[in-house]
Amino acid sequence: MAAAIDPALHTAGLAAAEAAINRALDLAPASAAALASLQDKVFALHCTAPQVDVYLQPTDGHIRLMGRYDGPVTTSIRGQASDFAQLATTNDPAAALINGELALHGDSAPLIELQGILAHLDVDWEAPLVDALGDVAGHQLAQVLRGVFNWGRQASTGLARQVEEFIHEEARLCPPKLELEDFYRDVQELQMQVDRLASRAQRLRKRLRERAART
Amino acid sequence: MSTKKTTHFGYKEVDKEAKASMVADVFHSVASRYDLMNDLMSAGIHRIWKRFTIELSGVRKGNAVLDIAGGTGDLAAKFSRIVGPEGRVVLADINASMLQVGRDKLLDTGHQGNIEFVQADAQFLPFPDNTFDCITIAFGLRNVTEKEIALKDMLRVLKPGGRLLVLEFSKPQSEVLSKAYDTYSFRVLPLMGRLVANDADSYQYLAESIRMHPDQETLKEMMEDAGFHGVEFHNMTGGIVALHRGLKA
C-alpha cells in the first residue's frame, strides 16, 4: 500500500533532526551519560497537526529517531505541534502534561526525565573550537561564547520575570497565579455547595409531593 | 519456476547459465567505486531509502538478520549495531569482489563480533530452514537469474513471523517523473560511469536492468506466489524505488 506522504521525505527529515540532536549530545557529555538510564526505552510522539509520527529511542548516549516502530512503547503522547513545543520548552513538564492538551499513555516518569535531559543540554563548545582553531584561539573564543550565552540566559530570565511583574503588579492585566488558583478553588467549592443545595431541594420537593399524595 | 532457457541481461536476451557470470563481471568491475557511484548517482538519497528499510524491518536486539546482495555493507553495519552482541548479522553476496570491499569497510569501521560474511547465491542459500528473523535484499533482486526460486529460498530460511524486505528500483508513479528519470538513466548515468568509474557499460546495464525489473504490483504478486503473507509496498521518491515487505506465516 502506498503511503500518503513520500516516506523518503519523512525519513530525510528525521535523519537530519537525529544528526543535529546527536551532534549536540556529542558536545554535552553529561547529558549523553544521563541518557543511559533511558537506554532502549521507546517514546512515541503522535502529532495530529501536522500529522506526523515520530518514535524516539535513546541508545548508547545518542537518540534514534524513527518514523515507524512495531514494538511496544514505553510512553506514547498525542497532541498538536504547539503542545509538543510547549512540553519541550517548559521548566515543569509534569504540570505541562497534567494541564496541557497532550494525551498520554504509559509511563510518564521516563518521558519527564528525557524532557529534562534534552531541555537542559549543556553544550561544551570548547572541544570543537579547539579542534578547529587551536588551543589558544579556541579556548578564548569558547570563553567569549560561554559569557555571551550566560548573559543571554540571565537576560532572558530577568526579562521574563520583569514582564511578569509588570503584567501582574503594574498594569494589573491579569491576576497572579496564586490568586487565580485561590479563585478557582473558591469557584469549585461554590459549585459543590450549589450541587448539594440542588440535591436537598430535590429531596424536599419529592417529600412534599409524597405528603400531598397521602393527604 | 520458468522452463525458459533464456533470461534478460538488461535489454539483451541471454542464456540463463550465462547471466550470473555476466552480472558478476559488472560487479567485479564496479566494486571498488560502488559506494562513491551510489552517492553520486542518487545524490546520497540511497542512504534515506536504506534508513527507511531499517525502520520497517522491525529488527531488535538479539535478532538474526540476513542481508542478501549486501554489497558494501551499508545495511549490515546498521543492523550490527541494532542487534547488539547477542544478535547475528550475515552479509551475503554472490560476488567475491563486493564481499571483499564490504568486509574491509565493516572491519575498518569497527563492526565485528556479530557479523559473518558469506559468499552465496540468493537462489540457493546455504542456511538451515527457519534461521533468520529478518532478511533484506537491497538493489539485488533484479540481478538474480530466477527471482521466483530466490524468493522461495528466502521464505525457507526465514523463521515463522520473520520478515523479508526487498528494496529495489521500481516504476515512477508520474509520467513527468518517468520521462525525467529515463533521460537521467540513459544519458547521465552512463556518462557518470565513464567519467568516475571508467566503465560506461556497467551503468548502461544498471539502467536497462531497472527497466526490466518487475513493477510494484508484479513484485507483490511474485512474493505472494512464493508464499509470503501480508505483502505490502511503499513507494519512495515518487516510485523510483519501492520497498516491499512480506511475512512468513
Side-chain angles (χ1 to χ4, degrees):
Chain A
M1 195 180 72
I5 303 175
D6 196 314
L9 280 178
H10 187 199
T11 308
L14 289 179
E18 184 185 279
I21 293 171
N22 287 333
R23 182 71 186 125
L25 281 168
D26 285 340
L27 299 176
S31 304
L35 279 177
S37 62
L38 299 172
Q39 176 82 9
D40 294 332
K41 293 194 185 307
V42 178
F43 302 89
L45 316 180
H46 302 292
C47 185
T48 51
Q51 184 121 34
V52 179
D53 291 338
V54 177
Y55 296 86
L56 197 152
Q57 184 180 36
T59 307
D60 301 328
H62 283 121
I63 298 279
R64 184 176 172 210
L65 295 181
M66 297 166 280
R68 284 161 192 271
Y69 185 81
D70 292 335
V73 298
T74 312
T75 318
S76 163
I77 44 176
R78 185 177 295 277
Q80 298 189 353
S82 53
D83 304 322
F84 283 106
Q86 196 185 358
L87 176 66
T89 52
T90 183
N91 283 324
D92 188 354
L97 285 171
I98 294 165
N99 302 323
E101 296 294 315
L102 290 166
L104 183 139
H105 292 275
D107 191 354
S108 63
L111 178 72
I112 292 169
E113 195 179 338
L114 177 71
Q115 192 275 354
I117 293 168
L118 294 182
H120 301 105
L121 271 182
D122 188 14
V123 176
D124 176 15
W125 298 100
E126 189 153 341
L129 287 173
V130 164
D131 284 347
L133 304 172
D135 287 348
V136 178
H139 175 66
Q140 283 176 346
L141 185 57
Q143 267 190 322
V144 171
L145 283 175
R146 219 173 280 137
V148 169
F149 281 124
N150 282 341
W151 178 83
R153 202 174 297 142
Q154 280 166 9
S156 85
T157 314
L159 185 67
R161 200 174 50 240
Q162 283 174 18
V163 167
E164 191 183 336
E165 205 172 284
F166 174 78
I167 290 170
H168 292 149
E169 307 298 337
E170 304 292 331
R172 297 183 100 43
L173 291 172
C174 86
K177 195 179 170 193
L178 285 174
E179 207 173 295
L180 206 62
E181 281 173 359
D182 264 357
F183 174 71
Y184 285 142
R185 214 170 12 246
D186 288 347
V187 169
Q188 205 173 5
E189 206 168 310
L190 184 65
Q191 190 188 355
M192 278 163 67
Q193 284 172 351
V194 169
D195 285 349
R196 280 196 209 106
L197 191 63
S199 154
R200 273 186 197 170
Q202 203 177 346
R203 246 185 9 238
L204 196 60
R205 263 203 303 272
K206 192 180 164 198
R207 219 180 285 166
L208 284 172
R209 270 201 303 274
E210 284 169 1
R211 193 176 291 172
R214 275 203 297 275
T215 56
Chain B
M1 186 181 142
S2 168
T3 51
K4 259 175 72 181
K5 293 269 190 250
T6 60
T7 186
H8 53 81
F9 175 77
Y11 286 163
K12 292 181 203 121
E13 197 72 17
V14 298
D15 198 69
K16 269 184 184 170
E17 305 290 317
K19 175 165 174 172
S21 67
M22 294 170 86
V23 171
D25 286 345
V26 168
F27 283 92
H28 282 310
S29 156
V30 300
S32 61
R33 296 192 175 209
Y34 187 79
D35 282 340
L36 173 68
M37 282 304 290
N38 271 353
D39 279 334
L40 277 177
M41 288 184 307
S42 70
I45 301 173
H46 73 101
R47 294 177 195 281
I48 301 296
W49 297 330
K50 287 172 183 166
R51 189 187 159 103
F52 183 65
T53 306
I54 287 166
E55 278 184 16
L56 226 64
S57 71
V59 167
R60 307 267 181 274
K61 268 198 180 0
N63 279 179
V65 182
L66 170 63
D67 182 21
I68 301 175
T72 51
D74 284 350
L75 287 176
K78 297 274 189 320
F79 283 133
S80 163
R81 270 201 294 272
I82 295 171
V83 302
E86 64 269 42
R88 176 190 181 205
V89 178
V90 178
L91 171 60
D93 204 300
I94 194 171
N95 190 282
S97 302
M98 292 294 287
L99 203 58
Q100 183 66 45
V101 173
R103 185 171 174 275
D104 289 349
K105 188 173 118 184
L106 289 178
L107 291 178
D108 287 350
T109 49
H111 295 90
Q112 48 83 38
N114 61 1
I115 302 191
E116 296 159 37
F117 303 90
V118 176
Q119 188 174 0
D121 185 337
Q123 300 168 111
F124 312 103
L125 295 167
F127 306 104
D129 298 359
N130 308 323
T131 303
F132 296 100
D133 298 286
C134 179
I135 297 178
T136 54
I137 177 164
F139 307 113
L141 190 64
R142 70 176 189 285
N143 298 315
V144 175
T145 309
E146 297 262 20
K147 296 172 186 62
E148 295 83 356
I149 295 178
L151 289 170
K152 279 184 183 154
D153 215 37
M154 289 176 208
L155 186 75
R156 178 184 67 76
V157 301
L158 264 183
K159 288 179 187 171
R163 304 159 297 281
L164 166 67
L165 290 111
V166 181
L167 179 66
E168 192 50 272
F169 291 104
S170 207
K171 192 177 172 203
Q173 297 299 288
S174 96
E175 275 303 311
V176 178
L177 182 62
S178 189
K179 287 209 167 66
Y181 182 49
D182 275 349
T183 309
Y184 176 75
S185 305
F186 290 102
R187 300 276 168 85
V188 182
L189 273 191
L191 180 69
M192 225 184 251
R194 195 168 65 229
L195 293 177
V196 180
N198 196 24
D199 182 3
D201 290 346
S202 295
Y203 290 91
Q204 180 74 24
Y205 162 73
L206 172 73
E208 290 177 6
S209 66
I210 290 168
R211 297 309 183 283
M212 297 304 290
H213 186 68
D215 66 11
Q216 288 88 334
E217 287 296 341
T218 312
L219 181 56
K220 185 181 174 209
E221 279 169 28
M222 286 169 70
M223 287 175 69
E224 284 166 346
D225 291 345
F228 285 95
H229 288 258
V231 180
E232 57 174 12
F233 66 84
H234 300 264
N235 283 320
M236 288 190 273
T237 320
I240 288 177
V241 160
L243 176 64
H244 285 69
R245 181 170 73 164
L247 306 173
K248 179 172 178 176

